[in-house]
């Protein structure tokens, strides 16, 4: 017991290379109380949900939490506990993964399958009559001489039952946005901390409550909270439990710690599916919980389920018991689809493995949820799915097409900005795309399935690359999305490792690594640098020709512009708006992209091509530090947002490019080509608020945006 009467525990450090037992493993605990696998999710406004596991039913579903600035103002929250059992499922990847260490051994499986110590060798021992001269075994009798067939194991063998630890859930409510809190779960002596993320309901500490200890729902007269900007989302998917996965967890925590150290609205993790890769060997959910705890006990994780939570005997059971979603608060009937306002973004989680056809329960909920979004409170809309709709990788190619046909038009009509997915074990980012075509009015799709699971990398990209694909690489890493204001966000992807058959367990952490694949027998290796053809047993993965492969990082400015709709539906006037068709009026639209030339002097509109005479590009409405709208036309930024909504553009930034252009203090001027090479610069449109940028040149013949100091 500790000083306030709470049970204590001991532990060993997580090590994924230990053979995973078929049942919950208590060997790492020095006391029966053993509370572990602590992780956070989000509930309703002002709520953070804490989940953890324990090996003892003496542990209560209770958490103590307090403002870090006022530890004496501690409160307690009590929740609920549950446990479950499942029949083990055997996959080949458990024994022989393409990457990383095996989860168990054939001999360990045989030992479990051997029932001779308890199953009846002869049913006559129970007085059951048997034909003369025959010996009948009990139905569960196995001698364990061979590994069982892959798939669900024998339900008659109790060694193949997995019984979970107690899974505890408690909700810490009445939290003040932007406040740091400490907390401790029952059965543990460790103190964790988190920063309560901003909600659409923004509150500040009332007089007499500087530490934010009071429940804001019980206090009248609260004022608007400080700015939610910048807010950072960590992006990760298809993680598993290899050394690469563990490195990515550490890298993600370091990235979010760094982002949070600068102040602002806080941080959270978006995880579009395929978490533990337990695949029916359910104790791997426990080891996964230990691996991700340092990250997830500090930053709330919002996840959607993937095929590895659904297939392989999983059937959502472990996932739904352990990883909570804010579905009740979103008026959803299922935790498989949900939504939550998180800082400046409305985040929606959808299920790739449930009906989304017209009239389906999931689609009807999505229609209602999109209609309720307040774009002034949450100007950004981010959607999580597991199966990508836009991917140029041969792995899982086309699997998302039925859902795309069901939902893409609905999302675009609502002005969704970003669609995050996993499933394909590589990283890919698109330009704004709609209905299979690069389109200023489309959404940007980011496939972040590069977490580093045991199945390895997806190598085979299709050629030639479609116009809508902006960047792709078959390596492992993490992403961050730092939203700096209502219109600008910085996307960054950082490579941590590659798959290489020349590396131990095929996990290469060399800083200059390139993903490698085994050669077919007798095949030459013409791409092997500095080695005679045929000498090596591996070859470099095919270069996609984009010029972006094998970089250590990739970044992009994501900029939301006011006005443009899908397929040119908007009409424009210089200095303002007019003529938006009724079908698009009042809807936030996505649009393509000003890119910065390497010299840093020109920002050009992408995706426009040659516009009809008299038409103009989108008007930048970037909110400055003073909160005022951009010049030109009447009304502030929020008024124009309400009337027309922003649209999405990208500005490419490649890590390692030369010629960085400092954007701080620069202002954008629209440059209109008047013919015969003459141009004139219209009024200043915006001030970019942070950072540096380097980008490739992309052209428009009629409109440019020029970076100038005044």
């Amino acid at each position: 017991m500790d000083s306030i009467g709470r049970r204590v525990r001991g532990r060993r450090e997580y090590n994924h290379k230990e053979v995973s037992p078929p049942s919950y493993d208590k060997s790492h605990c020095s006391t029966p109380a053993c509370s572990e696998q602590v992780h956070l999710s989000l509930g309703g406004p002002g709520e953070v949900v804490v989940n953890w596991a324990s090996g003892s039913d003496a542990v209560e579903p209770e958490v103590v939490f307090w403002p870090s600035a006022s530890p004496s103002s501690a409160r307690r929250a009590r929740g609920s506990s549950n446990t479950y059992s499942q029949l083990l499922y055997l996959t080949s990847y458990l024994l022989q993964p393409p990457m990383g260490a095996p989860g168990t051994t054939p001999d360990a499986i045989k030992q479990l399958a051997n029932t001779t110590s308890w199953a009846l060798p002869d049913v006559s021992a129970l007085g059951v009559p048997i034909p003369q001269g025959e010996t009948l075994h009990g139905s569960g009798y196995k001698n364990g001489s061979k590994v069982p067939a892959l798939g669900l194991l024998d339900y008659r063998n109790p060694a193949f039952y997995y019984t979970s630890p107690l899974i505890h859930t408690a909700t810490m409510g009445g939290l003040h946005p932007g406040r740091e809190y400490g907390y401790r779960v029952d059965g543990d002596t460790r103190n964790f901390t988190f920063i309560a993320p901003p909600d659409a309901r923004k509150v500040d500490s009332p007089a007499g409550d500087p530490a934010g200890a009071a429940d804001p729902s019980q206090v009248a007269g609260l004022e608007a909270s400080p700015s939610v900007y910048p807010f950072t989302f960590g992006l990760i998917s298809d993680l598993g439990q290899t050394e690469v996965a563990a490195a990515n967890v550490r890298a993600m925590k370091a990235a979010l710690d760094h982002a949070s150290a600068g102040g602002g609205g806080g941080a959270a993790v978006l995880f579009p599916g395929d978490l533990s890769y337990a695949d029916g060997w359910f104790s791997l959910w426990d080891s996964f919980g230990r691996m991700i705890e340092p990250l997830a006990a500090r930053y709330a994780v919002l996840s959607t389920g993937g095929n590895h939570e659904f297939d392989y005997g999983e059937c959502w059971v472990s996932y739904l018991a352990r990883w909570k979603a804010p579905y009740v608060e979103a008026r959803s009937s299922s935790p498989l689809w949900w939504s939550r306002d998180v800082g400046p973004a409305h985040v929606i989680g959808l299920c790739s493995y449930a009906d989304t056809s017209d009239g389906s329960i999931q689609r009807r909920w999505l229609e209602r949820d999109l209609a309720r979004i307040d774009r002034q409170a949450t100007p950004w809309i981010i959607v999580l799915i597991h199966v990508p709709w836009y991917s140029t990788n041969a792995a899982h190619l086309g699997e998302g097409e039925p859902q795309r046909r069901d939902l893409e038009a609905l999302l675009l009509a609502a002005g969704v900005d970003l669609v995050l997915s996993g499933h394909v074990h590589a990283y890919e980012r698109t330009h704004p795309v709609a209905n299979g075509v690069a389109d200023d009015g489309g959404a940007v799709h980011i496939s972040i399935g590069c977490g580093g699971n045991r199945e390895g990398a997806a190598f085979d990209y299709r050629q030639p690359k479609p116009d809508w694909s902006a960047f792709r690489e078959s390596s492992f890493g993490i992403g961050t999305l730092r939203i700096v204001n209502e219109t600008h966000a910085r996307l960054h992807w950082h490579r941590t490792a590659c798959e290489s058959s020349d590396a131990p367990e095929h996990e290469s952490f060399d800083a200059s690594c390139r993903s490698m694949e085994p050669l077919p027998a007798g095949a030459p290796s013409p791409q092997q640098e500095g080695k005679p053809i045929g000498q090596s047993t591996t070859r470099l993965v095919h270069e996609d020709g984009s010029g972006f492969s094998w970089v250590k990082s990739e970044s992009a400015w994501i900029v939301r512009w006011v006005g443009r709709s899908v397929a040119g539906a908007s009409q424009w006037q210089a200095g303002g708006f007019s003529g938006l068709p009724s079908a698009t009026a009042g809807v936030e639209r996505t649009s393509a992209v000003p890119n910065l030339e390497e010299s840093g002097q020109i920002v050009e509109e992408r995706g426009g091509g040659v516009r009809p005479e008299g038409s103009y590009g989108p008007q930048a409405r970037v909110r400055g530090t003073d909160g005022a709208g951009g010049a030109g036309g009447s009304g502030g930024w929020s008024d124009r947002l309400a009337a027309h909504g922003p649209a999405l553009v990208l500005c490419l930034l490649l890590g390692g490019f030369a010629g960085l252009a400092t954007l701080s203090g620069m202002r954008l001027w629209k440059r209109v080509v008047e013919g015969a090479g003459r141009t004139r610069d219209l009024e200043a449109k915006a001030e970019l608020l942070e950072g540096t940028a380097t980008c490739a040149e992309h052209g428009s013949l009629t409109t440019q945006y020029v970076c100038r100091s005044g």
Side-chain angles (χ1 to χ4, degrees):
M1 297 284 183
D2 67 6
S3 59
I4 61 171
R6 302 177 62 79
R7 300 167 185 85
V8 299
R9 61 163 286 192
R11 62 183 54 76
R12 291 188 287 123
E13 292 299 316
Y14 164 79
N15 181 359
H16 88 282
K17 292 189 177 182
E18 296 176 356
V19 172
S20 299
S23 58
Y24 176 64
D25 179 18
K26 302 177 183 178
S27 65
H28 64 285
C29 300
S30 59
T31 64
C34 195
S35 288
E36 57 164 359
Q37 305 175 46
V38 179
H39 59 276
L40 301 175
S41 54
L42 296 178
E47 294 179 347
V48 171
V49 179
V50 58
N51 308 271
W52 73 101
S54 71
S56 170
D57 60 6
V59 173
E60 299 293 335
E62 186 176 87
V63 59
V64 174
F65 62 104
W66 57 91
S68 293
S70 180
S72 61
S73 303
R75 288 181 280 158
R76 292 179 182 264
R78 185 175 180 83
S80 60
S81 306
N82 73 88
T83 188
Y84 62 91
S85 67
Q86 287 187 271
L87 181 62
L88 294 178
Y89 189 105
L90 185 61
T91 69
S92 60
Y93 284 167
L94 181 70
L95 302 173
Q96 294 180 311
M99 192 177 82
T104 189
T105 66
D107 286 344
I109 299 291
K110 291 178 184 179
Q111 184 176 355
L112 294 173
N114 187 344
T115 65
T116 57
S117 64
W118 61 266
L120 294 173
D122 186 342
V123 294
S124 62
L126 291 180
V128 178
I130 58 175
Q132 187 174 1
E134 294 186 21
T135 300
L136 297 182
H137 298 317
S139 62
Y141 182 83
K142 302 287 183 183
N143 62 18
S145 61
K146 60 182 180 179
V147 174
L150 301 179
L152 281 173
L153 296 176
D154 193 342
Y155 74 91
R156 297 166 296 187
N157 183 352
F160 292 147
Y161 307 158
Y162 169 82
T163 302
S164 78
L166 278 164
I167 309 299
H168 307 284
T169 301
T171 299
M172 297 176 283
L175 305 175
H176 287 247
R179 299 285 191 264
E180 184 179 75
Y181 289 83
Y183 71 100
R184 184 167 61 247
V185 301
D186 192 41
D188 204 345
T189 58
R190 297 172 298 170
N191 292 338
F192 299 98
T193 61
F194 67 92
I195 297 174
D199 300 308
R201 179 198 68 179
K202 299 178 176 68
V203 297
D204 207 352
S205 294
D209 180 31
D215 183 343
S217 65
Q218 305 299 316
V219 180
L222 297 180
E223 298 177 356
S225 71
S227 172
V228 299
Y229 301 106
F231 193 93
T232 304
F233 288 107
L235 313 178
I236 199 166
S237 187
D238 295 71
L239 188 57
Q241 299 175 58
T242 63
E243 290 284 3
V244 172
N248 279 335
V249 168
R250 294 191 295 270
M252 179 66 75
K253 184 175 186 299
L256 297 185
D257 286 347
H258 177 74
S260 299
V269 178
L270 303 182
F271 200 141
D274 284 3
L275 282 70
S276 72
Y277 280 76
D279 292 351
W281 202 256
F282 302 106
S283 63
L284 288 174
W285 279 102
D286 299 308
S287 54
F288 176 78
R290 295 171 195 130
M291 182 191 77
I292 202 171
E293 184 185 69
L295 169 66
R298 169 69 175 173
Y299 299 103
V301 177
L302 290 167
S303 66
T304 54
N307 57 302
H308 287 268
E309 283 75 61
F310 182 45
D311 201 353
Y312 310 106
E314 291 280 347
C315 302
W316 305 122
V317 175
S318 291
Y319 171 67
L320 294 182
R322 297 167 184 260
W323 293 85
K324 303 302 181 181
Y327 76 101
V328 173
E329 299 81 0
R331 309 180 201 178
S332 168
S333 59
S334 171
L336 298 176
W337 47 90
W338 50 265
S339 70
R340 176 63 148 82
D341 290 343
V342 187
H346 185 75
V347 181
I348 298 172
L350 298 177
C351 182
S352 293
Y353 303 103
D355 188 9
T356 52
S357 63
D358 191 26
S360 65
I361 294 174
Q362 183 173 192
R363 182 191 171 98
R364 285 174 59 82
W365 168 82
L366 177 60
E367 291 168 350
R368 295 190 296 270
D369 187 75
L370 292 171
R372 288 192 294 263
I373 297 174
D374 178 356
R375 295 304 285 265
Q376 293 193 20
T378 54
W380 295 80
I381 302 179
I382 302 172
V383 173
L384 276 64
I385 56 175
H386 182 61
V387 180
W389 297 352
Y390 289 94
S391 171
T392 62
N393 199 293
H396 306 296
L397 188 63
E399 285 184 23
E401 185 62 8
Q403 189 178 60
R404 185 194 70 81
R405 294 179 180 181
D406 286 344
L407 298 182
E408 184 177 33
L410 178 62
L411 297 187
L412 293 180
V416 167
D417 300 307
L418 295 171
V419 179
L420 303 179
S421 62
H423 202 40
V424 176
H425 301 164
Y427 171 71
E428 185 164 12
R429 174 178 57 79
T430 75
H431 297 299
V433 58
N435 199 29
V437 178
D439 191 305
D440 288 2
V444 171
H445 291 249
I446 301 168
S447 180
I448 195 77
C450 50
N453 67 80
R454 66 190 181 188
E455 294 182 359
F459 294 131
D460 185 12
Y461 280 114
R462 294 299 173 92
Q463 303 292 345
K465 185 175 67 171
D467 290 343
W468 48 257
S469 179
F471 182 92
R472 54 191 191 175
E473 181 170 323
S474 296
S475 299
F476 306 116
I478 62 166
T480 56
L481 180 71
R482 187 168 176 82
I483 302 177
V484 299
N485 58 28
E486 291 94 332
T487 55
H488 283 68
R490 180 76 173 272
L491 172 69
H492 182 77
W493 177 78
H494 175 73
R495 188 186 72 192
T496 57
C498 305
E499 178 181 359
S500 174
S501 55
D502 291 343
E505 296 181 349
H506 298 178
E507 298 173 279
S508 174
F509 292 94
D510 190 291
S512 59
C513 70
R514 296 186 176 189
S515 292
M516 312 282 281
E517 63 182 350
L519 278 171
S525 56
Q527 293 182 335
Q528 279 294 298
E529 299 172 350
K531 296 182 179 180
I533 290 178
Q535 176 176 318
S536 175
T537 59
T538 62
R539 66 181 171 199
L540 292 175
V541 174
H542 181 63
E543 167 66 57
D544 69 10
S546 67
F548 298 148
S549 291
W550 317 124
V551 299
K552 295 180 181 178
S553 64
E554 190 266 340
S555 296
W557 276 108
I558 297 180
V559 187
R560 306 176 65 248
W561 299 87
V562 176
R564 183 161 167 78
S565 63
V566 176
S570 297
Q571 300 174 21
W572 301 94
Q573 289 184 348
F577 298 92
S578 72
L580 276 176
S582 59
T584 60
V587 176
E588 303 231 351
R589 294 295 187 176
T590 47
S591 181
V593 62
N595 276 2
L596 294 183
E597 212 175 60
E598 286 185 53
S599 66
Q601 296 304 305
I602 304 296
V603 181
E604 294 186 318
E605 178 193 351
R606 274 191 52 81
V610 180
R611 292 184 177 276
E613 184 177 356
S615 65
Y616 294 87
Q619 306 293 303
R621 295 290 173 187
V622 185
R623 190 169 186 173
T625 54
D626 60 356
S634 61
W637 184 90
S638 61
D639 296 330
R640 295 197 175 271
L641 174 62
H644 302 286
L648 185 68
V649 295
L650 280 175
C651 180
L652 289 176
L653 238 102
L654 287 182
F657 262 28
L660 294 179
T662 301
L663 297 182
S664 299
M666 302 293 287
R667 299 184 69 84
L668 291 179
W669 292 65
K670 190 171 74 170
R671 173 165 291 175
V672 178
V673 179
E674 296 184 320
R678 298 190 306 274
T679 64
R680 62 185 176 92
D681 294 348
L682 302 184
E683 68 274 32
K685 295 300 179 185
E687 183 172 23
L688 301 183
L689 299 181
E690 72 166 21
T692 59
T694 349
C695 306
E697 177 180 358
H698 293 277
S700 160
L701 298 182
T702 58
T703 305
Q704 297 175 331
Y705 288 89
V706 183
C707 281
R708 304 199 324 198
S709 60

